[in-house]
Amino acid sequence: MEEQLIGCIIKENSLAKDTLLSEKHFSDNNNRLIFKECVRLANEDKSIDQVSLLDALFGKISDEAIDKMANFEFRAKLENFDTYERQIIEKYKERESMNIVKKHLSSGEINRGELIKELNDLEKESKLEDGSVGSVYENMITRLSQTEKDVLGFRTRLRDFDLLADKFLGGELIITAGRPSMGKTAFLIKLVDSAIEDDFVPIVFSLEMLKGQLSGRLVAQRSQINSKKIKYTQLLAENEIDRYNATVNYYYKKEHYIFDQLRTIEEMKVAIRRIASKTDKPIMKSTSSKEREDLRIAEISGELKRIALDYQCPVICLSQLNRGVEQRQDKRPIMSDLRDSGSIEQDADKILLLYRSDYYNRDQEPTNELDVIIAKNREGQVGTATIKFYLETGVMRN
């Protein structure tokens, strides 16, 4: 299995960067050394083939391993890479769980709580999430019966915004930022829905909200039903049930993915690669050892831009603004309000800043308006587009 996976990497070098595996997952020491060399060559943007590997590993691995490596390319099947990867991780977990148990047994006194924690941590490690949301929509339908009360890019269909920003294009990194409660998630939901309508495949990575919550926001916005009623379906009025059913069924049939457990850029890249490999539709899409926050942000924004370029999809990233905006008399955000904004300003193709006057003027009659300030637009205009935004449903319209 390990030899087959390395054979896939020799056939398709990019897999060395787009895998959750590391050296520790390999049981065979020779394979561990070969994989380590594959990763090194990939990180140096060098070709990975038998010649370069044999040259680097001569004298470090056995003659038997050398013979195996000469045949990797002819036996490996690229379409089975995900299976090889998954099985290697599972075998690693089996070995490590045995080692953990043996370690505690040999200590003479078993700390049951610590043993369970170590086994649970191992189980969570490298967990492969498929991003499927079908069961979420099935559950939303089931809750009704409970008794408890163009190919290159897509437009938002928000006229004033589209006139300024144009399309969200493949290869673009778009930063959408605002203070809390400005409508960042609702704006993202609008983009997801627009991408689905244009037959793209949106992939959402959420670090804060669960996939059920985001799916509920999608349904609320499209059906124009109060999001509280989507959460507590017993509150739905009789004339809203048909709309609810139709909207849930609409999303159930549309290909899109929401991940709420992935936390690193590496995990996200693996998920994107897997989805891209099994769909013929265009897709719409850190761990860091650096201690300084600005360097960590720079690394992340750079990686997100590379994902956009590698997969020719727009990557839309939601970001908080720093608290400095709250201290100003004019609360409208500017680019320097982005946290550690230097690298973000450099890498982003578009920077969108959201502002709702209703949030700061709560004693006045609400205008239900959201200003989308296009502070940077590498391929288009800058300016402000004002759209209607209804907080209860998340609906955005001209």
Side-chain angles (χ1 to χ4, degrees):
M1 191 68 62
E2 294 176 354
E3 289 89 347
Q4 301 299 318
L5 181 129
I6 294 171
C8 288
I9 292 174
I10 292 174
K11 274 190 171 183
E12 179 51 64
N13 290 182
S14 64
L15 294 173
K17 290 184 177 181
D18 291 343
T19 177
L20 287 173
L21 295 177
S22 61
E23 298 169 50
K24 68 179 182 182
H25 292 114
F26 290 79
S27 60
D28 183 90
N29 187 58
N30 288 324
N31 292 334
R32 191 178 299 123
L33 291 171
I34 295 170
F35 177 79
K36 180 180 179 181
E37 189 61 26
C38 288
V39 173
R40 183 187 70 79
L41 290 169
N43 288 334
E44 294 177 3
D45 294 323
K46 294 180 179 177
S47 176
I48 304 170
D49 54 33
Q50 281 95 335
V51 175
S52 57
L53 289 172
L54 289 170
D55 180 61
L57 295 168
F58 184 76
K60 296 180 182 179
I61 59 177
S62 68
D63 292 339
E64 181 185 1
I66 293 289
D67 291 338
K68 280 185 180 180
M69 192 161 56
N71 294 312
F72 281 165
E73 184 175 355
F74 307 106
R75 294 186 290 137
K77 295 182 179 179
L78 281 176
E79 63 268 24
N80 292 336
F81 182 82
D82 289 349
T83 301
Y84 300 151
E85 184 181 51
R86 184 165 52 250
Q87 291 186 8
I88 289 172
I89 289 175
E90 289 306 314
K91 288 182 181 296
Y92 161 76
K93 288 181 178 180
E94 290 174 10
R95 293 194 305 272
E96 283 302 297
S97 62
M98 291 297 296
N99 290 336
I100 290 171
V101 172
K102 287 178 181 177
K103 180 187 74 174
H104 281 269
L105 288 174
S106 64
S107 68
E109 184 177 342
I110 298 178
N111 183 328
R112 189 168 178 272
E114 187 63 28
L115 172 62
I116 293 173
K117 180 182 182 301
E118 288 186 36
L119 291 173
N120 285 338
D121 289 344
L122 177 64
E123 182 58 32
K124 292 176 184 176
E125 185 177 328
S126 301
K127 187 173 182 180
L128 304 179
E129 184 189 5
D130 65 5
S132 171
V133 289
S135 60
V136 173
Y137 295 121
E138 287 175 355
N139 184 54
M140 292 172 74
I141 290 292
T142 302
R143 293 211 314 263
L144 283 173
S145 61
Q146 294 176 343
T147 56
E148 274 190 28
K149 304 237 162 69
D150 24 76
V151 173
L152 291 178
F154 71 100
R155 299 183 188 276
T156 66
R157 295 174 175 79
L158 299 169
R159 183 184 57 249
D160 292 346
F161 177 80
D162 288 340
L163 284 172
L164 287 173
D166 200 14
K167 292 182 178 179
F168 288 86
L169 300 173
E172 286 189 331
L173 172 61
I174 299 106
I175 304 296
T176 303
R179 291 294 294 152
S181 301
M182 284 298 124
K184 295 188 296 296
T185 302
F187 190 71
L188 172 69
I189 293 300
K190 175 62 179 173
L191 299 183
V192 169
D193 183 67
S194 297
I196 289 174
E197 283 201 22
D198 283 351
D199 208 28
F200 287 86
V201 179
I203 306 172
V204 178
F205 298 99
S206 173
L207 302 181
E208 296 179 352
M209 297 179 69
L210 298 175
K211 64 174 69 174
Q213 294 174 307
L214 288 169
S215 299
R217 293 281 194 97
L218 270 169
V219 172
Q221 193 172 110
R222 188 173 186 84
S223 65
Q224 300 183 38
I225 297 174
N226 189 300
S227 56
K228 185 176 181 180
K229 292 185 178 183
I230 301 296
K231 184 177 181 180
Y232 302 104
T233 52
Q234 67 273 15
L235 299 177
L236 286 169
E238 189 172 344
N239 63 352
E240 294 173 325
I241 291 178
D242 285 345
R243 264 189 292 152
Y244 177 91
N245 271 321
T247 306
V248 172
N249 283 317
Y250 170 82
Y251 285 123
Y252 182 77
K253 296 173 183 176
K254 296 292 185 180
E255 187 179 6
H256 60 295
Y257 300 86
I258 300 174
F259 295 86
D260 56 18
Q261 297 178 32
L262 303 186
R263 291 292 180 268
T264 68
I265 292 292
E266 287 76 13
E267 290 173 330
M268 295 176 188
K269 287 165 70 175
V270 170
I272 293 168
R273 171 176 60 78
R274 288 179 173 162
I275 293 169
S277 69
K278 66 182 182 182
T279 182
D280 57 358
K281 295 180 180 180
I283 61 172
M284 312 296 294
K285 6 183 228 155
S286 158
T287 301
S288 174
S289 59
K290 300 178 175 63
E291 294 181 0
R292 281 174 48 190
E293 181 70 6
D294 60 332
L295 295 180
R296 190 178 71 85
I297 296 296
E299 182 178 2
I300 291 173
S301 66
E303 283 294 325
L304 292 173
K305 177 60 178 177
R306 278 189 283 276
I307 290 174
L309 293 171
D310 288 347
Y311 291 93
Q312 275 304 293
C313 63
V315 171
I316 301 159
C317 180
L318 302 192
S319 173
Q320 292 274 20
L321 295 175
N322 61 46
R323 291 190 178 90
V325 65
E326 306 292 345
Q327 313 306 319
R328 299 198 301 264
Q329 185 172 357
D330 183 359
K331 302 294 194 289
R332 297 175 69 82
I334 54 179
M335 270 204 293
S336 59
D337 292 324
L338 280 165
R339 294 174 177 173
D340 300 291
S341 62
S343 60
I344 296 176
E345 289 182 29
Q346 174 182 309
D347 293 327
D349 297 280
K350 290 184 175 78
I351 295 179
L352 314 177
L353 306 174
L354 306 187
Y355 172 78
R356 285 198 306 119
S357 61
D358 288 351
Y359 180 81
Y360 294 105
N361 302 296
R362 301 184 189 186
D363 54 344
Q364 298 179 11
E365 188 70 22
T367 62
N368 294 321
E369 290 182 348
L370 170 68
D371 287 343
V372 184
I373 303 165
I374 305 172
K376 177 182 179 181
N377 191 1
R378 190 165 280 160
E379 300 296 333
Q381 303 177 64
V382 296
T384 299
T386 301
I387 58 180
K388 282 292 182 182
F389 173 42
Y390 300 91
L391 200 59
E392 296 79 8
T393 59
V395 169
M396 293 188 178
R397 57 170 55 136
N398 294 316

